[in-house]
Amino acid sequence: MNYFKWTLWVLALSSLPLAAQVTAVTISGQQLVKSEDGSWEKINYSDTLNNADIKASESPYKKELSALIDKAESIERTCFAEYYYTQLNISKCMTAISKTQEQGDTEKTEKLKAILDKLNNQKDKDEKNYFQAADQIASVKKISSYKIKKQKSKIEEFYQKMGVDVQLEAYTSSMKKKKITYESAEIKKYKKNEVDCTYSRSQQPGELQYVELASLPFFTYTSLQSKPYFKDKELMNTRATLVQTGKKVYLKLQIVIISRDAAKNYGYIPRNSLMKIYFINGSNISLFADKETRYDIENYTGNAIYTILYPVQSDDLDTVKKVAVDKTGIAWSSGFEMYDVYEVDALIRLFRCLKSIN
């Protein structure tokens, strides 16, 4: 029997009927059941937006977000099925190898081992695709947390990536009036922040002037693996502010991790470690920690708190003052991690405030 026939024989084993109904839960939380034709169907298939933790009432793009999540979940189900059947074939192939070894059939055993090697390689690819599909669902669900303008750009980005057929332009034109109202509200908010800017100022004789602004929310983060444990809470909450000493300006981050064990896993921020800020126009800057920073434990909550200062170089000031932030990455002692920034205009607002009091 040639190699091709042996491959078909092993793959055919996965199509044998099972005695009981098979169910599964995907990484993103979809509850699936295996149908008679071998495909996987979602059990709790109700309104997508209700199951997606999306603030649909706060977003003008409910229809688009629903279509995106439907598509993203469909992709995850397909990737899960491929991963599942590859693992099943590996198990059956290993069983077949054991039998041929017991029978002393060396030729068949070697052919099966060659098939097993290919299946293991395929499993690695399927696993990667499956995890990426789950990450994609999480990214789509976060879109409604962005500012309206960024929601639109993100939706268009995912349309191209996933091939979703929804007419965004036709829909947004009907929302034009609402969008203008929203932007007007934002302008008023900025003006209020500029007038009511809160800060502390100190200057001892012989010392440089010191100014620290009130902090603003910057980003939150919880890994997919930690979501089931923390539920409605975020593992990491980060606020940003600006500190000025003389002519030097620092970006000050306060990172609160609500699990002491998680903080131990993150470790500390080494001196001169990198913070990368990516802007929506495609540019980026690199900041470097002023000193080594380890966490302190808050007495009442047990939260781990990091307070880090990153000097902002004069060459980078124009970009930070004018361009909204998209993502940021922080180098911990345990490694580099990327975060989506939801308060994309936080640094712009802080620099406006700093300018108003100088």
Side-chain angles (χ1 to χ4, degrees):
M1 187 179 291
N2 62 32
Y3 178 85
F4 178 72
K5 290 182 179 178
W6 271 102
T7 305
L8 292 179
W9 176 74
V10 173
L11 294 177
L13 292 175
S14 65
S15 65
L16 295 176
L18 301 177
Q21 188 180 57
V22 181
T23 60
V25 179
T26 68
I27 297 172
S28 72
Q30 293 190 77
Q31 298 179 24
L32 308 181
V33 60
K34 187 170 175 288
S35 61
E36 293 183 359
D37 64 2
S39 62
W40 290 85
E41 297 177 356
K42 189 173 178 180
I43 298 174
N44 57 337
Y45 205 172
S46 55
D47 182 9
T48 301
L49 288 174
N50 291 336
N51 294 329
D53 299 324
I54 284 183
K55 298 177 181 178
S57 61
E58 299 178 9
S59 174
Y61 301 119
K62 180 176 179 179
K63 183 177 74 172
E64 287 83 357
L65 290 171
S66 179
L68 282 176
I69 291 192
D70 281 345
K71 183 68 174 182
E73 289 186 342
S74 174
I75 291 171
E76 188 197 35
R77 290 195 294 273
T78 299
C79 291
F80 167 79
E82 291 171 351
Y83 181 51
Y84 170 85
Y85 285 117
T86 300
Q87 286 187 306
L88 186 63
N89 286 329
I90 287 172
S91 177
K92 293 180 181 297
C93 188
M94 291 175 69
T95 300
I97 289 173
S98 297
K99 290 181 179 179
T100 57
Q101 285 177 333
E102 289 175 2
Q103 296 167 356
D105 193 331
T106 305
E107 182 182 356
K108 289 181 180 179
T109 299
E110 292 304 314
K111 289 179 178 178
L112 284 169
K113 285 183 177 180
I115 294 172
L116 182 61
D117 288 340
K118 290 185 177 294
L119 287 171
N120 280 320
N121 289 335
Q122 185 61 44
K123 186 196 75 169
D124 293 339
K125 295 177 183 177
D126 291 343
E127 184 178 38
K128 181 180 179 181
N129 291 337
Y130 177 33
F131 276 87
Q132 287 178 342
D135 287 340
Q136 184 167 251
I137 291 174
S139 297
V140 172
K141 287 181 179 180
K142 289 178 181 177
I143 291 176
S144 65
S145 301
Y146 300 152
K147 301 297 183 183
I148 298 298
K149 185 175 180 180
K150 187 173 181 181
Q151 285 187 38
K152 180 177 181 293
S153 65
K154 283 290 183 181
I155 289 170
E156 289 173 335
E157 175 187 326
F158 279 102
Y159 278 1
Q160 295 179 357
K161 185 184 295 184
M162 295 191 290
V164 179
D165 185 19
V166 177
Q167 298 299 317
L168 181 63
E169 291 303 325
Y171 183 70
T172 54
S173 63
S174 67
M175 298 303 299
K176 187 173 181 180
K177 186 174 181 180
K178 179 182 282 190
K179 184 176 179 182
I180 292 172
T181 303
Y182 175 87
E183 290 177 346
S184 298
E186 284 298 297
I187 291 170
K188 291 177 183 177
K189 186 178 180 182
Y190 292 157
K191 289 181 178 177
K192 181 180 179 181
N193 282 338
E194 288 172 2
V195 174
D196 299 336
C197 186
T198 304
Y199 63 95
S200 61
R201 185 196 299 269
S202 64
Q203 186 175 13
Q204 298 296 327
E207 293 184 359
L208 294 173
Q209 175 177 299
Y210 176 91
V211 173
E212 180 170 348
L213 306 181
S215 64
L216 295 176
F218 195 38
F219 68 82
T220 61
Y221 176 74
T222 307
S223 65
L224 284 174
Q225 293 81 359
S226 302
K227 280 287 186 185
Y229 179 76
F230 292 105
K231 297 180 180 178
D232 296 332
K233 296 181 179 180
E234 295 285 356
L235 170 65
M236 183 184 298
N237 288 275
T238 303
R239 298 181 68 88
T241 189
L242 295 178
V243 172
Q244 182 172 3
T245 303
K247 293 184 178 180
K248 291 184 178 180
V249 178
Y250 298 82
L251 173 61
K252 181 178 180 180
L253 294 187
Q254 184 184 72
I255 301 175
V256 179
I257 298 179
I258 63 174
S259 165
R260 186 182 303 196
D261 291 335
K264 290 178 181 177
N265 292 332
Y266 275 97
Y268 61 96
I269 303 289
R271 184 175 182 271
N272 290 326
S273 63
L274 175 68
M275 177 185 181
K276 201 84 171 176
I277 300 179
Y278 299 86
F279 299 93
I280 60 172
N281 65 356
S283 63
N284 66 81
I285 64 171
S286 297
L287 307 181
F288 300 92
D290 185 51
K291 62 181 180 180
E292 180 181 299
T293 304
R294 298 180 183 271
Y295 63 81
D296 296 314
I297 298 297
E298 196 172 35
N299 290 333
Y300 299 105
T301 64
N303 294 341
I305 301 177
Y306 298 82
T307 304
I308 315 111
L309 285 174
Y310 294 95
V312 182
Q313 302 302 316
S314 57
D315 292 343
D316 299 325
L317 286 175
D318 284 343
T319 302
V320 181
K321 289 177 181 178
K322 299 176 182 178
V323 186
V325 177
D326 183 31
K327 297 175 183 290
T328 187
I330 294 177
W332 301 80
S333 59
S334 57
F336 187 80
E337 190 167 65
M338 290 288 297
Y339 310 101
D340 287 319
V341 174
Y342 304 136
E343 299 296 333
V344 297
D345 60 348
L347 301 187
I348 296 175
R349 291 160 60 188
L350 286 168
F351 272 99
R352 286 178 178 174
C353 176
L354 188 63
K355 182 180 178 180
S356 71
I357 64 177
N358 280 337

